[in-house]
Amino acid sequence: TRNRYDGTGGDCDACASVRGAGRCMYCYAGRGFHRVAVMLLLALENYQCRSRVAILSATADPGAVTYPSSSPCFWYEEPAKTQRVTSPFGRAAKGVEESLQSLNWQPLQGQGHYKNPQQLVPSFTFEYPGAPTFCAYHPGIPGPISQIPTSLDWDNHLDDKLRLHLLLSTSNTAATSQLMPSTFEVNHGLLASLEAGQGMDCHDEGHWFLKHRLDSKRPRVHPYGSNTELCERLRQMKEISWKYFIVQKEIHPPMLLRSGRKFVLRAHVLAWVQPILDTEPNALRLFLHSDPLVSENAAPLDAVTGPAWASQPASALVLQSESRSPAYGLAESEELSFVRASILEQMGSTVAAVFQELHTQHPFPLAPSKSSSYQLYGLDFMLDANGKAFLLEVNRSPRIATGAMGDAHRCYTELLMQAMQILGVTNTEINTTSSEELPGPGRFGVWSDIYRATL
C-alpha cells in the first residue's frame, strides 16, 4: 500500500487525503475497492501511530520521544481495540501495583488518555489482548524489554495442539514422542480406523476427547465413551471444520484425589531471550515456577466403563471453568505432597524437551539485539495413576486477566513480580546485556532455571 504510481489523470480526494500527491495502486482497481483500501490505510495509520515498534526503531527521532519520569514509574496504555478487561493482570493488578509502590515506583495517572502515547517510551511492557498495556519505566534498565512478537511462527507450534503433537512426534527421541496423550488429526483416515476398530489405540482402555486445536473453550472439550459415538459426532460435523479439531485418547487410568476428582496442573514458564553481545546470537533461558496451580474437576469421576462412562456429568470428565473448584497451589496440597518433587522434575524435563525440539526444528528468527524479550507460558499437565505427567497443551497467554485461574490472583501477584525481578525490571542489578557466561540450571527464588540455548 505504500507503493504509489505517479499521478496520471488526477488524484482522487480520498487517496490524496491519506498519502498526499500521487495515486496508490488501488486507484486503478475501481472506486468501490479503493474505498475499502482507503479505510484499511486509515486503520493502518492509526495502528502505526500507536505502534511501539516505530518508536524504538533506529529511524525514530530521539527528540520526538520523552521519558515519563527520572524515577521508576508505571502506567496503562489503552488498547486500540475494544477493551474487555481493565488490566492485563486481572485481579492480580491491585497486588502488582501495591508491590511496585512499596518499591517506591510512582503510578502515573491518566497516561492511557494521552493524545500522543507514542511520545512515552516504556522500559518494560506487558500486553494482553483486549486489555490496556501495562507500561513501566526505570532509568536503570538498559531496555527495552517487551514480549516475544506474536508475528513469529515459533509460538504457533506451541499454541496449536496439533502442531505441538507433530513437533514432538517427529522427534528422534522416543521418550519425547510420548510426552502428550495419543493425539490424532481429524481426517478420513481416522474415521475409517475408528469404524474398523483397527489401530489408533482403538482397543486400548480409556475413551476419546474431541478438542479444538487452538482453544479448548471454542467449543468445550467433548468426551465420547466409544468409537461409535465419536464416529457419529464426526459425521455430524461439516467436513470443512475437521481441520480445526484434534482427537485425543483419555489418560487412563487417571490419578484421582481422595474426593474422586480428576485434576489438571497448570505450570508457568518464563522464556527470556537475553542478548549476550551485539555481534553474537541471543540466548534463550527458561524458568519454571515451582508452585503449579491445581484445578479440580467439579464432580467426582465414577470408575465405570462402557456407555455409562460418557453418561456421567461432563464436569466429572473434563475441566469446565464455569463450574470448577477454585485453583490452589501444589505446595498447599497435602495429598499430592508425595509426588510434588516428581511432578516438578517431569514438568522441567518436558518443558526443556519441547523447547529443544522447537529450537532444533524451527530456529528462532531473531537477530542479535541489545533489547531482551520474554513470554510467560501456561502449560497444562495431567497425571496418570502411576504419577506420570502428560502435557495437554501450551498457552502463550496463560489467561491471567480473564481465564479460569483468575481466582488464584494472589499466586499471580507473586509470580508476576518475581518474573519482573528475573527480567531486571524491579531488580536493576541484573545486567540484561552482560557478556559473561550464563549460569547453568539452578534456582532463582521460587523459579528454577531449567534450560538455556544459544539462538
Side-chain angles (χ1 to χ4, degrees):
T1 58
R2 292 187 178 276
N3 297 328
R4 297 180 300 174
Y5 295 97
D6 292 333
T8 55
D11 301 326
C12 70
D13 294 337
C15 183
S17 66
V18 176
R19 294 296 180 190
R23 299 176 67 193
C24 72
M25 65 182 73
Y26 295 111
C27 292
Y28 299 93
R31 180 176 299 178
F33 184 66
H34 174 66
R35 289 179 182 272
V36 175
V38 168
M39 293 174 64
L40 292 174
L41 286 173
L42 290 171
L44 179 63
E45 289 291 315
N46 180 60
Y47 173 79
Q48 288 175 337
C49 82
R50 301 186 65 85
S51 174
R52 197 166 292 104
V53 176
I55 305 168
L56 303 175
S57 66
T59 58
D61 180 9
V65 297
T66 58
Y67 295 95
S69 171
S70 59
S71 59
C73 58
F74 63 91
W75 68 93
Y76 293 94
E77 182 181 286
E78 296 293 339
K81 296 183 179 180
T82 303
Q83 180 175 317
R84 294 187 289 116
V85 290
T86 57
S87 166
F89 302 139
R91 282 185 280 177
K94 183 178 180 181
V96 171
E97 293 172 6
E98 290 178 349
S99 298
L100 288 173
Q101 291 184 60
S102 68
L103 297 174
N104 298 321
W105 285 65
Q106 175 188 358
L108 296 185
Q109 302 296 331
Q111 297 299 318
H113 302 286
Y114 270 50
K115 293 182 179 180
N116 297 308
Q118 71 273 18
Q119 293 181 358
L120 299 179
V121 180
S123 303
F124 170 81
T125 55
F126 186 93
E127 298 182 27
Y128 188 87
T133 298
F134 174 81
C135 301
Y137 171 77
H138 193 298
I141 302 177
I145 303 173
S146 58
Q147 286 167 284
I148 296 174
T150 57
S151 58
L152 298 179
D153 191 54
W154 203 52
D155 271 345
N156 294 334
H157 292 278
L158 300 176
D159 223 18
D160 187 326
K161 298 180 185 66
L162 178 60
R163 296 177 73 174
L164 177 63
H165 161 69
L166 295 175
L167 177 75
L168 298 177
S169 62
T170 55
S171 170
N172 295 326
T173 306
T176 302
S177 62
Q178 300 175 3
L179 295 177
M180 294 182 68
S182 299
T183 304
F184 308 99
E185 183 177 3
V186 179
N187 52 32
H188 288 285
L190 172 64
L191 189 60
S193 298
L194 290 171
E195 291 174 338
Q198 298 176 354
M200 300 289 186
D201 297 338
C202 289
H203 295 291
D204 292 349
E205 290 188 77
H207 300 82
W208 300 100
F209 292 101
L210 181 65
K211 300 181 178 182
H212 196 280
R213 285 173 53 178
L214 299 177
D215 189 345
S216 62
K217 293 180 173 60
R218 284 199 312 264
R220 294 178 177 85
V221 179
H222 294 286
Y224 297 94
S226 66
N227 296 353
T228 302
E229 292 180 5
L230 178 58
C231 287
E232 291 178 355
R233 175 55 183 152
L234 294 179
R235 291 194 199 97
Q236 294 172 0
M237 296 170 58
K238 294 182 180 180
E239 188 174 330
I240 194 174
S241 66
W242 284 0
K243 61 184 178 182
Y244 300 111
F245 292 86
I246 62 165
V247 169
Q248 278 188 341
K249 196 69 176 178
E250 178 194 14
I251 298 173
H252 183 84
M255 179 177 287
L256 302 178
L257 299 173
R258 295 193 187 102
S259 60
R261 297 179 181 181
K262 296 172 64 176
F263 60 95
V264 172
L265 296 166
R266 165 62 61 88
H268 295 94
V269 172
L270 176 66
W272 183 15
V273 180
Q274 184 184 35
I276 302 178
L277 289 175
D278 295 349
T279 57
E280 295 184 9
N282 295 324
L284 170 67
R285 299 177 68 178
L286 298 178
F287 300 86
L288 173 68
H289 196 266
S290 61
D291 193 18
L293 294 177
V294 181
S295 191
E296 303 178 15
N297 286 15
L301 179 71
D302 292 332
V304 296
T305 58
W309 179 90
S311 65
Q312 297 183 90
S315 56
L317 303 176
V318 298
L319 186 66
Q320 296 179 329
S321 58
E322 69 274 10
S323 60
R324 64 171 185 80
S325 302
Y328 53 90
L330 177 62
E332 301 176 23
S333 175
E334 294 183 1
E335 58 182 306
L336 293 177
S337 59
F338 74 102
V339 291
R340 182 173 181 270
S342 173
I343 289 173
L344 294 176
E345 181 180 356
Q346 292 184 75
M347 286 180 171
S349 60
T350 297
V351 171
V354 168
F355 279 84
Q356 175 64 47
E357 289 301 322
L358 187 61
H359 182 211
T360 301
Q361 300 183 33
H362 306 279
F364 199 88
L366 277 185
S369 171
K370 293 182 180 180
S371 304
S372 61
S373 55
Y374 73 97
Q375 186 59 48
L376 189 63
Y377 295 96
L379 293 86
D380 290 342
F381 290 85
M382 185 174 285
L383 306 180
D384 67 9
N386 296 320
K388 175 177 171 55
F390 289 87
L391 175 63
L392 301 181
E393 63 181 23
V394 179
N395 302 282
R396 173 182 168 86
S397 296
R399 304 183 69 84
I400 294 174
T402 60
M405 304 294 182
D407 49 19
H409 54 276
R410 292 184 181 86
C411 170
Y412 276 127
T413 298
E414 179 182 356
L415 183 149
L416 290 165
M417 290 300 300
Q418 293 165 348
M420 283 192 277
Q421 181 184 11
I422 292 176
L423 295 171
V425 180
T426 59
N427 182 9
T428 55
E429 295 178 0
I430 300 176
N431 187 357
T432 59
T433 59
S434 174
S435 60
E436 298 179 1
E437 180 71 14
L438 293 174
R443 299 287 300 176
F444 199 113
V446 295
W447 294 78
S448 297
D449 189 353
I450 59 173
Y451 179 80
R452 65 168 184 155
T454 301
L455 300 177

